[in-house]
Every structure is written in C-alpha cells, then in structure tokens.
Amino acid sequence: MKVLVINAGSSSLKYQLLKTKSGEVLAKGNADRIGLDNSFIKHSRNGEEIKVIPVVLADHTDAIKAVIKVLTDKGTGVIKSLKEIEAVGHRVVHGGEKFSTSVLITPEIKVAIKACIPLAPLHNPPNITGIEACEAAMPNIPQVAVFDTAFHQTMPPKAFMYALPYEVYEEHKVRRYGFHGTSHAYVAKRAAELLGKPFVSLKLVTCHLGNGSSIAAVKHGECIDTSMGLTPLAGVCMGTRCGDIDPAIVTFLMQKEGLDAKGIDNLMNKKSGVAGISGVSSDFRDLEDASEKGNERAELALQMFEYQCKKFIGAYAAAMGGLDAVVFTAGIGENVHRVRANIIAGLEFLGMKLDTEKNKARGVEAVISTDDSNTTILMIPTNEELAIAMATEAICSKK
Ligand code: ADP
C-alpha cells in the first residue's frame, strides 16, 4: 500500500510517501516556515539530492497543496496522480486515555483529539490542522490517526497514577501517559523478530534516546511502564529538558528567581538537560568532542544521562521480574557507542555483557552483546514513518 505519512507541527509539515510492504520511501520532505515569510519545501526522491523549492505557504492547507504538487509534478514527483495515494497516516502526539490504538479519522474522532488539546497544547492543534488540510485536499482518501501515547495505554494504574489527590486525576486527567509510543512499539516488535521469539513471551526494555529520550518496559507484548509522564518533560535528562527532578524545585525556583509559570516552564524545557549542565550544546556529538578536549561539564552531562538511563533499566528489570533484551534506538541510541557502553557497564549482575567490538556499529540493526550474554543487547534503528504507515494500512484493511 502507498501511504502518505504526515507529521504536522505549528510551522512545519513533514511528509513521507512510502510503500508499506517493502518499506521503500518514494519521497520525503518538509514544508517549512508555514505562515511566515520565505517559506519553502525541502523535497527529496529516494536516493536523490534534496531540492529546496521556495513556495508561499500561508497555512497548512497551502502546505498540503504544495506537498501534493511536488509529489505529482513531472520534474519532482513520484506519482502520476493523487489517486495513487491509498491512505494518509497522521502522527498525533496526544490521544489521552481515549485512544489505545490507531483509528480511522471521523468527525467524532476529531472532536476526541481536540478534547486532548489541554494535555498537549503545542502539538495537538497543528496535528488537527494537518488532518483537516488533508481532508480538504484528499476528500476520498482514508485518513488515520496514529498516537504517540497509544502504545503506553496498557500501563496499569499503579504505574500511571501520580500520588496527588485522586480528584486531580478525575478532574484534569493528570497521570502518566508516555510518548514515543510508535517508536517503542516498532523496535520492541522488531526485537522479537530478531530474537526469533514470540513478542508476547518477552520482557524488554526499549531505550529511545534522541533529542527527547524515553525508556519503556515492555512485558509480554504490552507496555507496563515508561519514563515520560503527563508531558515529555519527565524521565531521563534530555537535550534541553531536565527530566525527573524534585517537584519542590519548581516552587523553590519560582520564588528565588521570580519566575512565573511560563518562565519556569521555559527553564525546565529549553534551558536544562545536557545543554544546561554542559553549557556547550544539546547535541551529543558536541558533548563528546568537548569532553574529549577536557571539558568537565560536558563529561558530567554525559555521565548524568548515562547514569539516569542505567537506573531506569534496573528499575524496569525489577518491575518486570526479569529481562530478556535491552534495545537502543534513535539518534543517540543508534550512534553514540560510549553512551551505550556506559549505560550497560555494571549491569553484568542482570546478565548483560556488552561486546565492545560489536558495540562500535552505528545506525544498523545489530546484536551488540556477547554470545554468552544472558540478556541480549540490541541496537535497532527506529522508523516511525514506516510504523505509522503500517498502522495506517492495518486500520484501512479492517474497514
Ligand atoms: P529527534 O528525532 O528527537 O529530534 P533524534 O532521534 O534524531 O532526535 O536524535 C537527535 C540527537 O541524536 C542529536 O541531538 C544528537 O545528540 C544525537 N546524534 C544523532 N546522530 C549522531 C551521531 N552521528 N553521533 C552522535 N550523536 C548523534
């Protein structure tokens, strides 16, 4: 099936047209600076150089029209007409408690996605805008919503509840939701395939380590716990996000620094994490370089990240009562061997032995543990677009 995958942000709209069966990406790109001046599309056909095409993008409807144009254009296109697109899969960040799977988009579904806006005020509105723009441009093509939160909806209450007054959960739906669900589900299922064992028989920890990082405990085919929470700020420290901190720090700093809600939110989301600690960068390539040149704060940031990830693996092994495999994925998980090595170091008591040579691999599917390691350590490049396309196909074939 040819599926167009759409990831709509507030001022950008990423797209990928791919074939689900082979995973072949026919074309991909990004319509950027929507609603701003100097807007453009960065477009590439499989294996070809990226073309930057200046185009006026007043809103998301313009952006979708422009994407359709580059996909069908004689010079830049990969399809003759829109009819070749069999379905559109939309990444939707927050599905609240309502969505535990992907769904075919109907007017009622859009109302339910809009009802989740208070939980993801920055993400769900552009997601909805992207959906409506596609509906207008492609009225006869099925549209499917694939939620970042859905895979984590199997968590039991003891894992997703916060120990706040119960009414806070009832009235405001304040609870752990978790994110990167499409990626965790994809690499967990792929791990089962690579291990040659049924997904439902395994206890896995999946580590999605990128700009935003989250870790999940996947027991017998279901997520039972994850490190991100009500929002993607929780869990391990990230590029610029602080991750888990003593919650009293929030009011303490608001008083000491005279910050309002927006100010403290900005400090924790944009000025913290490994960037805030190192003062160097949020990018692990820069941190490694700086650390190698003797920058102690860059080294501290790396060590904090590694230590926090290690603790989650230990906690989740305890939560699941064992561990068959640990999976590393996303920008850092797929590329930074020192981070993987330092996370695993000392976890021999959990049956893990890293193979130093195999761990040098980058960006490929690989077993990076030794042959005699009881717990397998895997590196699996994530492919969220393919996972969204496959979920879209699965929903369409149910119709
Ligand atoms: P996101 O999708 O959340 O933006 P990614 O999964 O692409 O994030 O991860 C981005 C991060 O991965 C970068 O900030 C960088 O720290 C790290 N990264 C990506 N590629 C490399 C690399 N080749 N070497 C070291 N770090 C890398």
Side-chain angles (χ1 to χ4, degrees), residues 3 5 18 42 85 137 183 226 232 252 282 315 348 359 368 375 388:
V3 177
V5 174
L18 42 80
K42 265 189 185 171
I85 299 175
S183 176
T226 191
F252 177 86
S282 63
E348 292 79 11
N359 187 41
I368 55 172
T375 300
I388 291 172

Side-chain angles (χ1 to χ4, degrees), residues 6 62 67 141 190 282 368 376:
I6 298 289
D62 269 6
V67 168
I141 299 173
R190 190 72 196 118
S282 63
I368 55 172
T376 311

Side-chain angles (χ1 to χ4, degrees), residues 1-4 17-20 79 81-89 104 138 140-144 392-393 396 399:
M1 186 181 231
K2 267 183 209 164
V3 177
L4 178 63
L17 181 65
L18 42 80
K19 286 186 183 168
T20 46
I79 50 173
S81 90
L82 213 51
K83 285 190 195 134
E84 286 184 49
I85 299 175
E86 290 164 272
V88 183
L104 188 70
M138 296 174 262
N140 300 317
I141 299 173
Q143 313 278 329
V144 173
T392 301
E393 179 178 47
C396 290
K399 271 205 301 169

Side-chain angles (χ1 to χ4, degrees), residues 208-212 282-285 288 330-332 335-336 362:
H208 178 110
L209 311 180
N211 240 329
S282 63
D283 193 302
F284 276 55
R285 285 163 281 210
E288 277 196 296
I332 298 161
N335 287 296
V336 191
R362 258 176 199 271

